[in-house]
Amino acid sequence: MEYTEKKPPLQEALEKFRVLDEKITHYSSLIGLADWDQKVMAPKKGRNVFAKAAGSLKTEVFKLSVSEEMGSLLETLSEQENESVLDVVTKAKVREYKTFYQKSKSIPADLFQEYAIITGQANDVWEEARDGNDFAKFLPYLEKIVEYKRKFAEIYGYENHPYDALLDEFEPGLTVEILDPLFAKLRESSINLLNRIQQQGKPTRHEIFEQSFPIDKQKEFNRLILPLIGFDLEAGRLDETVHPFAQSVNIGDVRLTTRYLENNVRSALFGTIHEAGHGIYEQQINPEFEESVLQSGTSFGIHESQSRFLENMVGRSKEFWTYFYPRLQEHFPAQLANVSLDEFYRAVNSVSPSFIRVEADELTYNLHIMLRYEIEKGLIAGEIEARDLPEIWNRKMQDYLGITPSTDTVGVLQDVHWSFGGIGYFPSYSLGNLYAAQILRTIEKDLPEFKSHIENGRFDVIHGWLKEKIHQYGKLYTPNELIVRVTGEELNADYLVEYLEKKYSEVYGLEEK
Amino acid sequence: MEYTEKKPPLQEALEKFRVLDEKITHYSSLIGLADWDQKVMAPKKGRNVFAKAAGSLKTEVFKLSVSEEMGSLLETLSEQENESVLDVVTKAKVREYKTFYQKSKSIPADLFQEYAIITGQANDVWEEARDGNDFAKFLPYLEKIVEYKRKFAEIYGYENHPYDALLDEFEPGLTVEILDPLFAKLRESSINLLNRIQQQGKPTRHEIFEQSFPIDKQKEFNRLILPLIGFDLEAGRLDETVHPFAQSVNIGDVRLTTRYLENNVRSALFGTIHEAGHGIYEQQINPEFEESVLQSGTSFGIHESQSRFLENMVGRSKEFWTYFYPRLQEHFPAQLANVSLDEFYRAVNSVSPSFIRVEADELTYNLHIMLRYEIEKGLIAGEIEARDLPEIWNRKMQDYLGITPSTDTVGVLQDVHWSFGGIGYFPSYSLGNLYAAQILRTIEKDLPEFKSHIENGRFDVIHGWLKEKIHQYGKLYTPNELIVRVTGEELNADYLVEYLEKKYSEVYGLEEK
């Protein structure tokens, strides 16, 4: 029959795939809201039972994502993919689901179950171990988790290094082969720069931040600047939590949190700007991708580049404070009356080695990350034993930062990541800085008035550029595709190295290298 | 084979039913949270898309509730029910699902679809009609909705009056035959009492509430009393919305809202106490019923009895203000310094006919309800035409309250209920008052120190009694079973009639009847 009314299988598959994608995205939206709510709003007595309710829906999302229906749709659509009959949007959706499907399907159910039980218990154990400075308590769990992660890496497969299989979960396509030289260059130059700052640097007035900054005034200032720097409060919220985060419910509903500390005005200020960077990315995604898997940022590293770009490249620039410092002084006249703009700018960019990653400055932060990267890589390769971590940690801290943690609590036990199995996650943070510096170089070329836009509060121009080049695409492009599209080349550490060198030479009055 | 390891079908059915019930309840918990969030927290730009996400999960809950699996489980378990091999808890769960299943299955899908479309559109039309005082605009929608509801009543079935089929949706087992005499008695006595108040009543100082009460001080006072009157803030929240409501997420997470008006201190105050009555009911349900369909209050009427009991019988009593008035005066010294406790108590209980139901006092409120009841009954019986409603409404307002609405906006168009098809809902409000007065009589017998408990702020004793007698049971008993268990008799209007007569004779210094 030439004229059949029966839909061709491809059309049918496309429609079924659209419906399934929409359903999964809808449920994920509800889960995102529920997670936000439990951290920000929920009264404590209901949380345990609610976790089970949210767990039911998470299980359903997982089941739908690895269902037979999904499998056969991905098969049908992947075949078509090669023949380029699918549009790029559908191809990107197929790519996203296929990666998850294949990884999830590849792990035998009982292995995954064992792993889920261990990571389910490990968080509490880690918290106790950290609070009691008792690495031995956490060690058996860490050993198990590393063991499972090594097994997963073998199952997922890799070309050169088993850690590649884990990196890929957070930054698709990233490998040790790519990362090692990038980090080597960054490590060397960062240590060198840090030494020069410590030896020749002109002191900053960082102690101005040790004054008391009343919290209600801090809140006022944070609420004042949030919309001015480009976050749309009609499509989002700002609340408070101990650990700040950004959570997208959908493109029109992106929720940030920050943390106010009376004796540390920087905490909320740069926390808010950082999370706003994540938030503006989510708010500027193409509405056509809404209700689909493409409706959020493309990778951990690219997401982090947007938060770091706004926090550091914009938010810690001289131009930013040229615009905002008079307003900050109005809010805190007693604290800042005798602090000049230049002194304030230099204080904001104080560099000082410290034990805790999340409190580290822009320069030393990457050294914290590289230390973790090297440890993770060694654990997964079987070259490092988990039991040796306290010693290795402290030695590397001494080598890179010149300080040795007084306890494991402020050393190897400080981060939550390993307890939930997030091995491969840490590099994202420094990737964010690397991407951000490379993007900065491009935007400065595209917008020669970049600095004066900041100085004049024209953040709309900057976000317009980011939207056009990056944000609108959501998950359409992989991180590597995106950075090449935006900047014309693969990730290159030179930009961050040069940026740090230039900025901190100026801040600390260093001689030319 | 005598010794088979295969589970008997009943055990299997019980386990499957438990799992299905838990899943539906989990999803409903998430939907409850999502509904709360969209009214209280969500930024406006995300709401339309989020409504679709929540709609997906609501559709799934509906599908699960009317699924073939549910049908066959209910069949298996209902058969067992007669042989009393099931415990009362399972029987109650079966009853709840069976009612919904049968009603939902009985309506042909296309008929329900048409109805869903009409009610989906009617809310916006009603809002426009109300705001524009344009009843004709809403009329075609109202006519359609009445037509569908009449069809549904025929499909659901009834013994005597078609309206019974609709009442049953809100108050299982309730009929016109039961309600007519209860309301007749209440109507007659209320009109009589209102007339006597208007003719002989000693004026109250109700104008004290027309002063300005700063909102921050109101908030402080509401937050002060909420835990004192028995609402557990570790198992709940208090937020703000234009239309106050209570939403349970689970037993440990019950969320209330209230509304602060600077020129009407009563709005937030009694709104908060009212919603706390709903909330404490939900917080005191037996935790064994959590994650099951029994985990909330048994009917609209019983729920309303708990909010009205706390708002009116407790919250507008002399004893309540003996305890709280000094604290209120501390919060508002300028406004209340020259108002005595007795004057305040009388002002709180001022009676005055008014157009708007939600602003009505305790006495005239029921007349607003009975007017709506009579109209709905007539519409469903085909004795009243929708087009005649403005005239009928205004005539009844004149007959019962002695006032005629100046516009349909403050008359027949004031309530949202008909626009979403909630015909049969209104009686719940007065049922709440009737139940509450009957419960009051019982608690006063059981706790002879009832009044002094209030006077001494011992709300824990009162809530302990309500928990033991009512709250703990959740949906275990039907409303009629519950009221008979608690008070020893079926619903009886005498208690409310006597309560109102006694209270308002005293408030207004009326002569004995």
Side-chain angles (χ1 to χ4, degrees):
Chain A
M1 283 208 309
E2 262 191 79
Y3 299 103
T4 170
E5 281 191 25
K6 198 176 166 243
K7 278 186 187 171
L10 176 62
Q11 283 313 106
E12 224 179 283
L14 279 172
E15 176 58 15
K16 281 190 178 166
F17 182 65
R18 191 196 63 75
V19 169
L20 190 53
D21 174 30
E22 188 179 270
K23 190 175 191 178
I24 289 172
T25 309
H26 280 166
Y27 288 4
S28 301
S29 227
L30 282 150
I31 290 168
L33 172 64
D35 285 345
W36 172 86
D37 180 85
Q38 296 300 300
K39 287 178 194 149
V40 183
M41 291 291 159
K44 71 177 187 186
K45 286 185 184 169
R47 284 184 216 154
N48 281 343
V49 170
F50 189 80
K52 293 198 267 175
S56 278
L57 195 59
K58 287 173 188 174
T59 302
E60 184 68 20
V61 166
F62 182 79
K63 280 185 186 167
L64 292 170
S65 303
V66 300
S67 61
E68 276 181 38
E69 187 190 5
M70 180 63 91
S72 84
L73 289 172
L74 291 174
E75 205 175 344
T76 305
L77 297 174
S78 298
E79 280 163 18
Q80 307 297 333
E81 222 182 352
N82 300 327
E83 298 161 30
S84 55
V85 289
L86 293 195
D87 60 290
V88 287
V89 173
T90 309
K91 276 187 193 170
K93 292 178 190 173
V94 169
R95 181 197 68 220
E96 288 297 316
Y97 281 109
K98 203 171 167 182
T99 307
F100 185 80
Y101 182 88
Q102 287 176 335
K103 288 210 170 174
S104 306
K105 281 294 202 188
S106 66
I107 307 283
D110 53 346
L111 190 66
F112 193 81
Q113 180 70 10
E114 289 164 31
Y115 169 72
I117 289 169
I118 283 288
T119 49
Q121 297 164 340
N123 187 270
D124 285 351
V125 176
W126 163 74
E127 252 184 41
E128 285 168 33
R130 182 196 57 184
D131 296 347
N133 187 35
D134 184 359
F135 180 74
K137 184 170 213 160
F138 182 51
L139 180 59
Y141 289 85
L142 181 56
E143 283 174 335
K144 274 280 176 204
I145 287 168
V146 170
E147 193 185 316
Y148 283 111
K149 283 286 167 178
R150 293 183 63 182
K151 281 184 192 164
F152 291 179
E154 294 304 322
I155 294 168
Y156 295 154
Y158 52 87
E159 272 186 41
N160 299 310
H161 196 290
Y163 189 60
D164 294 351
L166 305 183
L167 278 174
D168 189 73
E169 289 195 88
F170 299 95
E171 205 64 12
L174 190 67
T175 62
V176 166
E177 199 180 345
I178 296 171
L179 209 43
D180 267 351
L182 294 171
F183 275 4
K185 192 178 277 182
L186 180 60
R187 185 175 50 242
E188 198 198 321
S189 77
S190 298
I191 293 174
N192 176 290
L193 185 53
L194 176 60
N195 287 338
R196 283 155 57 221
I197 289 172
Q198 290 184 307
Q199 284 155 21
Q200 326 154 11
K202 188 180 141 200
T204 67
R205 289 186 63 187
H206 57 84
E207 72 286 351
I208 60 171
F209 294 118
E210 281 151 31
Q211 303 173 84
S212 157
F213 289 77
I215 284 178
D216 56 337
K217 283 284 161 193
Q218 287 195 46
K219 285 188 189 176
E220 226 179 270
F221 188 73
N222 274 266
R223 300 218 148 263
L224 168 78
I225 67 165
L226 189 55
L228 293 178
I229 61 173
F231 184 80
D232 181 354
L233 278 165
E234 289 190 348
R237 300 179 47 91
L238 176 66
D239 295 278
E240 290 172 53
T241 49
V242 173
H243 304 289
F245 67 99
Q247 171 72 52
S248 160
V249 174
N250 57 44
I251 294 169
D253 184 351
V254 181
R255 306 184 182 196
L256 315 180
T257 70
T258 194
R259 182 190 193 182
Y260 297 100
L261 298 172
E262 185 165 344
N263 294 306
N264 183 355
V265 70
R266 280 179 296 188
S267 165
L269 194 50
F270 292 99
T272 300
I273 300 172
H274 178 97
E275 301 307 334
H278 285 300
I280 293 164
Y281 187 2
E282 295 286 322
Q283 286 182 336
Q284 296 209 108
I285 288 167
N286 185 344
E288 281 178 31
F289 297 162
E290 195 144 45
E291 298 175 86
S292 91
V293 68
L294 303 183
Q295 78 165 4
S296 59
T298 189
S299 71
F300 284 78
I302 296 290
H303 232 300
E304 196 69 12
S305 78
Q306 296 310 292
S307 55
R308 303 259 163 177
F309 183 81
L310 198 61
E311 178 192 349
N312 293 329
M313 278 74 174
V314 175
R316 293 185 205 262
S317 70
K318 184 73 157 285
E319 295 76 22
F320 187 86
W321 291 108
T322 303
Y323 185 66
F324 279 119
Y325 190 55
R327 302 177 194 216
L328 188 69
Q329 279 182 313
E330 274 170 34
H331 279 74
F332 302 105
Q335 293 83 349
L336 299 175
N338 72 343
V339 180
S340 72
L341 168 62
D342 191 58
E343 286 171 326
F344 182 79
Y345 164 68
R346 295 187 61 239
V348 154
N349 287 292
S350 294
V351 167
S352 171
S354 62
F355 299 142
I356 304 295
R357 176 183 59 85
V358 298
E359 293 166 7
D361 56 75
E362 188 182 11
L363 174 63
T364 61
Y365 190 91
N366 297 311
L367 294 168
H368 287 268
I369 294 305
M370 290 186 274
L371 170 161
R372 287 157 177 77
Y373 166 68
E374 290 155 22
I375 286 175
E376 289 189 346
K377 202 173 56 163
L379 285 170
I380 297 302
E383 295 159 358
I384 290 180
E385 295 297 328
R387 64 170 175 274
D388 299 326
L389 286 198
E391 195 207 317
I392 297 172
W393 185 283
N394 290 354
R395 201 178 58 233
K396 283 184 186 283
M397 281 294 289
Q398 189 61 48
D399 289 351
Y400 299 168
L401 291 161
I403 54 175
T404 299
S406 47
T407 63
D408 290 337
T409 299
V410 296
V412 67
L413 287 171
Q414 70 184 269
D415 292 306
V416 67
H417 302 56
W418 293 338
S419 79
F420 64 74
I423 297 178
Y425 189 147
F426 283 121
S428 313
Y429 297 115
S430 283
L431 279 174
N433 289 326
L434 291 162
Y435 285 132
Q438 189 162 332
I439 290 164
L440 175 66
R441 180 67 65 96
T442 308
I443 199 173
E444 283 178 335
K445 263 191 264 167
D446 275 17
L447 303 176
E449 302 297 304
F450 176 72
K451 287 189 174 177
S452 73
H453 287 320
I454 298 178
E455 205 171 71
N456 295 310
R458 291 300 308 272
F459 301 100
D460 56 327
V461 182
I462 295 165
H463 293 305
W465 188 93
L466 292 170
K467 179 179 183 174
E468 187 201 329
K469 301 288 180 178
I470 301 170
H471 296 177
Q472 62 161 318
Y473 296 115
K475 283 188 189 293
L476 187 63
Y477 299 117
T478 64
N480 192 54
E481 283 168 0
L482 190 66
I483 197 74
V484 172
R485 278 181 64 97
V486 176
T487 68
E489 61 174 314
E490 312 254 327
L491 188 56
N492 181 338
D494 291 345
Y495 300 112
L496 182 58
V497 167
E498 288 163 20
Y499 160 84
L500 291 170
E501 179 66 32
K502 190 172 165 216
K503 175 170 179 178
Y504 287 95
S505 292
E506 190 238 316
V507 166
Y508 276 97
L510 304 181
E511 293 157 22
E512 289 291 316
K513 230 186 7 172
Chain B
M1 287 211 309
E2 261 193 79
Y3 299 103
T4 172
E5 282 191 24
K6 200 177 163 241
K7 275 186 187 173
L10 176 61
Q11 283 312 107
E12 225 179 282
L14 279 171
E15 178 56 15
K16 282 188 178 167
F17 182 65
R18 190 196 64 74
V19 170
L20 189 54
D21 174 30
E22 189 179 89
K23 191 175 190 177
I24 289 172
T25 308
H26 280 167
Y27 288 3
S28 302
S29 226
L30 282 150
I31 290 167
L33 172 64
D35 285 345
W36 172 86
D37 179 84
Q38 297 301 299
K39 288 179 193 150
V40 183
M41 291 291 158
K44 72 178 186 186
K45 287 186 183 169
R47 284 184 215 152
N48 281 343
V49 171
F50 190 81
K52 292 198 267 174
S56 277
L57 195 59
K58 287 173 189 173
T59 302
E60 184 67 20
V61 165
F62 183 80
K63 280 184 185 166
L64 292 170
S65 304
V66 300
S67 61
E68 276 181 38
E69 187 191 3
M70 180 64 91
S72 86
L73 289 173
L74 290 173
E75 204 176 344
T76 305
L77 296 174
S78 299
E79 281 164 16
Q80 306 298 332
E81 221 184 353
N82 301 327
E83 298 161 29
S84 53
V85 289
L86 293 195
D87 59 290
V88 286
V89 173
T90 309
K91 277 188 192 170
K93 292 178 189 173
V94 169
R95 180 198 68 220
E96 288 298 317
Y97 281 109
K98 203 171 167 181
T99 307
F100 185 80
Y101 183 88
Q102 287 176 337
K103 288 213 168 168
S104 305
K105 281 293 201 185
S106 66
I107 307 283
D110 54 343
L111 190 66
F112 192 81
Q113 181 70 11
E114 290 163 31
Y115 169 71
I117 290 169
I118 282 288
T119 48
Q121 299 164 337
N123 187 270
D124 285 350
V125 177
W126 162 75
E127 253 186 39
E128 286 168 32
R130 181 197 57 184
D131 296 346
N133 188 34
D134 184 0
F135 180 75
K137 183 168 212 159
F138 183 50
L139 180 59
Y141 289 84
L142 182 56
E143 283 173 336
K144 273 280 175 202
I145 288 168
V146 170
E147 192 186 317
Y148 284 112
K149 284 285 167 179
R150 292 181 63 183
K151 280 184 193 163
F152 292 179
E154 294 304 321
I155 293 168
Y156 295 153
Y158 52 86
E159 271 186 42
N160 298 310
H161 196 289
Y163 189 61
D164 295 350
L166 305 183
L167 279 173
D168 189 72
E169 288 197 89
F170 299 94
E171 205 64 12
L174 189 68
T175 62
V176 166
E177 198 178 348
I178 296 171
L179 209 43
D180 267 351
L182 293 171
F183 274 4
K185 192 177 275 180
L186 181 60
R187 185 175 49 243
E188 197 197 322
S189 77
S190 298
I191 293 173
N192 175 290
L193 185 53
L194 175 61
N195 287 338
R196 283 155 56 222
I197 288 170
Q198 291 183 307
Q199 284 154 23
Q200 325 154 16
K202 187 180 142 203
T204 67
R205 289 186 62 187
H206 57 85
E207 73 285 351
I208 60 170
F209 295 118
E210 282 153 30
Q211 304 174 83
S212 158
F213 289 77
I215 284 178
D216 57 336
K217 283 283 162 193
Q218 287 194 46
K219 284 187 188 177
E220 225 179 89
F221 188 74
N222 274 265
R223 298 219 149 261
L224 169 78
I225 68 165
L226 189 55
L228 293 178
I229 61 174
F231 183 81
D232 181 355
L233 276 166
E234 290 191 346
R237 299 179 47 92
L238 176 66
D239 295 279
E240 289 172 54
T241 49
V242 173
H243 303 288
F245 68 99
Q247 171 72 53
S248 161
V249 174
N250 58 44
I251 294 170
D253 185 352
V254 181
R255 306 184 182 195
L256 315 180
T257 69
T258 194
R259 181 189 194 182
Y260 298 100
L261 299 172
E262 185 165 343
N263 294 308
N264 183 354
V265 70
R266 280 180 296 188
S267 165
L269 193 50
F270 292 100
T272 300
I273 301 172
H274 179 96
E275 300 307 336
H278 285 300
I280 293 165
Y281 186 2
E282 295 285 325
Q283 287 183 335
Q284 295 207 110
I285 287 167
N286 186 343
E288 283 177 29
F289 296 161
E290 195 142 45
E291 298 176 87
S292 90
V293 68
L294 304 183
Q295 78 166 4
S296 59
T298 191
S299 71
F300 284 78
I302 296 289
H303 233 302
E304 195 69 13
S305 78
Q306 297 310 293
S307 55
R308 303 261 163 176
F309 182 81
L310 198 62
E311 178 191 350
N312 293 330
M313 278 73 175
V314 175
R316 293 186 206 262
S317 71
K318 184 73 156 284
E319 296 76 20
F320 186 87
W321 290 108
T322 304
Y323 185 66
F324 279 118
Y325 190 56
R327 301 174 196 222
L328 188 69
Q329 279 182 312
E330 274 170 35
H331 279 74
F332 302 104
Q335 293 83 349
L336 299 175
N338 74 344
V339 180
S340 72
L341 169 63
D342 191 59
E343 286 170 328
F344 183 80
Y345 164 68
R346 294 186 62 240
V348 153
N349 288 292
S350 294
V351 168
S352 173
S354 62
F355 297 143
I356 304 294
R357 175 183 60 86
V358 297
E359 293 165 6
D361 57 74
E362 187 181 12
L363 173 62
T364 60
Y365 189 91
N366 296 310
L367 294 168
H368 287 268
I369 294 304
M370 289 185 276
L371 170 161
R372 287 157 177 78
Y373 166 68
E374 289 155 22
I375 286 174
E376 288 190 346
K377 202 174 58 166
L379 285 169
I380 296 302
E383 295 159 359
I384 291 179
E385 295 295 330
R387 64 170 175 273
D388 299 327
L389 286 200
E391 192 207 319
I392 296 172
W393 184 284
N394 290 354
R395 200 177 60 234
K396 282 185 188 282
M397 281 295 288
Q398 190 60 49
D399 289 351
Y400 298 167
L401 290 162
I403 55 177
T404 299
S406 46
T407 62
D408 290 336
T409 299
V410 296
V412 67
L413 287 171
Q414 69 183 268
D415 293 306
V416 67
H417 301 59
W418 293 337
S419 78
F420 64 74
I423 297 178
Y425 190 148
F426 283 122
S428 314
Y429 297 115
S430 283
L431 279 175
N433 289 327
L434 290 162
Y435 286 132
Q438 189 161 330
I439 290 165
L440 175 66
R441 180 67 66 96
T442 308
I443 200 173
E444 283 178 335
K445 262 191 261 166
D446 274 16
L447 301 177
E449 303 296 306
F450 176 72
K451 288 188 173 177
S452 72
H453 288 319
I454 298 178
E455 206 170 71
N456 296 309
R458 292 299 309 273
F459 300 100
D460 57 326
V461 181
I462 295 165
H463 292 306
W465 189 92
L466 292 170
K467 179 179 183 174
E468 188 202 328
K469 302 288 181 180
I470 300 170
H471 297 177
Q472 63 161 319
Y473 295 115
K475 283 189 187 293
L476 187 64
Y477 300 116
T478 63
N480 191 52
E481 283 168 0
L482 190 67
I483 198 72
V484 171
R485 276 181 65 97
V486 176
T487 68
E489 62 174 313
E490 313 254 328
L491 188 56
N492 181 338
D494 290 345
Y495 301 112
L496 182 59
V497 167
E498 287 164 20
Y499 160 84
L500 292 170
E501 178 66 31
K502 189 168 165 224
K503 175 171 179 176
Y504 288 95
S505 292
E506 192 238 312
V507 167
Y508 277 97
L510 303 180
E511 295 158 19
E512 290 290 314
K513 229 187 7 177

